[in-house]
Amino acid sequence: MKKVVVMVLSFCLALCTLTACGSKGSSDSKLADVKDAGVMKVGMCPEYPPFETINKSGDIEGFDADLATAIGKEIGVKVEFVNTPYEGLIAGLMNGDFDIIMSGMSPREADEADKSLNVSESYYVVSEVIMTKDPSIKSKEDLAGKKVGSHVGSTSEYAVNNLIKEDKIKCTSVPYNRHSEAFADLVNGNIDATVTEDTWAKQKVGEDKDVKILDGSIYDIEIAAICDPDSASLRDAFNEAFKTIKDNGTYDKIVEKWFS
């Protein structure tokens, strides 16, 4: 009798274990929810052309916007862009304000915010460059003793910190809430240089004839789409769709459109 009871208890324990594992594996319904809704909500901060900006009609456009639309088409849903300050993107994602972040965010930024976030394959590599008006600054080494601005919490600030920590260049990092604020202070002579993405820099450099972009990248950073911890299914669907649009040439056309 004792043996029978033990066998029954063992069977029940095994059944509970299998049920628990099955529930855990099937608890991620994010992709199904997005498909049921017919819309994938994309969080982005439209202040960084050509990745994302607001056009004259008030709509968000740019590389990330077109890429998101192409990804959505492959998944079988429309996309809706949710205008969000950059510093609020992770919080908005975790709060359920949108399904995915596509806003020039690096896997490193996501990992530092929350290691449980689901990060897609990288879909672009951003080169960080130096902008300056100072004729004595001709290379990153010339930043020693200078004040260097960057957007706080962004890949650009990581690039500046890398100059200080890895390259041992004794410059002063000056954080700003936005790239545009750092650029304004550069133009006004309040800082000696600023670090930003090369694509953004090329669009701004013409606004002041004395501002130049130094040749070469000081730091290359991958960017990816970010999903919340319970959205592995959406991340996997993104990766599959991304592979498809790379294979069929759609991705190359989007890159050519915004970065040619």
Side-chain angles (χ1 to χ4, degrees), residues 54-116:
I54 296 178
N55 61 26
K56 294 180 180 179
S57 301
D59 299 319
I60 294 177
E61 66 175 15
F63 171 73
D64 281 333
D66 281 4
L67 181 61
T69 300
I71 293 291
K73 183 177 180 180
E74 288 300 323
I75 293 175
V77 296
K78 296 180 179 179
V79 296
E80 178 183 320
F81 305 124
V82 182
N83 188 335
T84 307
Y86 194 85
E87 60 273 16
L89 284 170
I90 297 293
L93 178 70
M94 301 297 277
N95 193 46
D97 297 340
F98 35 83
D99 306 303
I100 192 169
I101 296 171
M102 291 182 67
S103 194
M105 187 170 289
S106 71
R108 176 177 174 176
E109 289 174 85
D111 188 59
E112 289 188 357
D114 189 326
K115 293 184 182 299
S116 67

Side-chain angles (χ1 to χ4, degrees), residues 15-16 50 81 88 103 117 142 157-158 160 175-176 193 220 235 246:
L15 182 62
C16 289
F81 305 124
S103 194
L117 290 169
D142 296 327
E157 186 182 36
Y158 290 142
V160 175
Y176 291 87
D220 291 330
R235 176 206 59 200
K246 285 197 74 175

Side-chain angles (χ1 to χ4, degrees), residues 1-23:
M1 182 67 177
K2 183 177 180 181
K3 183 177 180 181
V4 173
V5 172
V6 171
M7 290 178 64
V8 171
L9 289 174
S10 298
F11 174 77
C12 290
L13 179 61
L15 182 62
C16 289
T17 301
L18 288 172
T19 303
C21 291
S23 298

Side-chain angles (χ1 to χ4, degrees), residues 12-260:
C12 290
L13 179 61
L15 182 62
C16 289
T17 301
L18 288 172
T19 303
C21 291
S23 298
K24 185 176 180 181
S26 61
S27 63
D28 177 5
S29 62
K30 189 63 175 184
L31 178 60
D33 293 343
V34 167
K35 286 188 172 183
D36 287 344
V39 177
M40 180 174 71
K41 293 184 178 181
V42 183
M44 57 177 59
C45 178
E47 299 179 15
Y48 305 100
F51 287 95
E52 48 265 340
T53 189
I54 296 178
N55 61 26
K56 294 180 180 179
S57 301
D59 299 319
I60 294 177
E61 66 175 15
F63 171 73
D64 281 333
D66 281 4
L67 181 61
T69 300
I71 293 291
K73 183 177 180 180
E74 288 300 323
I75 293 175
V77 296
K78 296 180 179 179
V79 296
E80 178 183 320
F81 305 124
V82 182
N83 188 335
T84 307
Y86 194 85
E87 60 273 16
L89 284 170
I90 297 293
L93 178 70
M94 301 297 277
N95 193 46
D97 297 340
F98 35 83
D99 306 303
I100 192 169
I101 296 171
M102 291 182 67
S103 194
M105 187 170 289
S106 71
R108 176 177 174 176
E109 289 174 85
D111 188 59
E112 289 188 357
D114 189 326
K115 293 184 182 299
S116 67
L117 290 169
N118 283 296
V119 180
S120 77
E121 295 177 9
S122 298
Y123 61 79
Y124 197 75
V125 177
V126 173
S127 294
E128 298 290 338
V129 296
I130 298 167
M131 302 177 73
T132 185
K133 292 177 67 175
D134 188 339
S136 71
I137 299 176
K138 299 177 181 178
S139 68
K140 64 183 182 181
E141 287 76 16
D142 296 327
L143 293 176
K146 305 292 187 180
K147 293 187 291 185
V148 183
S150 65
H151 177 193
V152 65
S154 73
T155 54
S156 298
E157 186 182 36
Y158 290 142
V160 175
N161 290 337
N162 190 70
L163 288 175
I164 298 170
K165 295 177 181 178
E166 302 298 328
D167 296 332
K168 307 301 181 184
I169 296 173
K170 295 182 179 180
C171 60
T172 300
S173 175
V174 184
Y176 291 87
N177 290 326
R178 294 290 183 270
H179 283 319
S180 55
E181 294 176 11
F183 182 78
D185 258 9
L186 174 66
V187 170
N188 293 326
N190 296 321
I191 56 176
D192 303 295
T194 184
V195 170
T196 186
E197 296 89 359
D198 61 342
T199 49
W200 191 91
K202 289 173 183 176
Q203 296 210 12
K204 298 295 289 185
V205 71
E207 294 184 12
D208 187 301
K209 62 183 180 62
D210 295 324
V211 175
K212 63 180 179 181
I213 303 173
L214 300 192
D215 291 336
S217 168
I218 62 167
Y219 201 62
D220 291 330
I221 299 175
E222 297 179 340
I223 59 176
I226 316 297
C227 301
D228 70 44
D230 298 319
S231 298
S233 60
L234 182 58
R235 176 206 59 200
D236 293 344
F238 178 99
N239 288 339
E240 184 177 345
F242 181 60
K243 182 180 185 303
T244 298
I245 65 173
K246 285 197 74 175
D247 290 345
N248 66 23
T250 299
Y251 176 79
D252 290 337
K253 290 178 181 178
I254 296 173
V255 170
E256 177 69 19
K257 175 182 176 180
W258 293 104
F259 299 122
S260 63

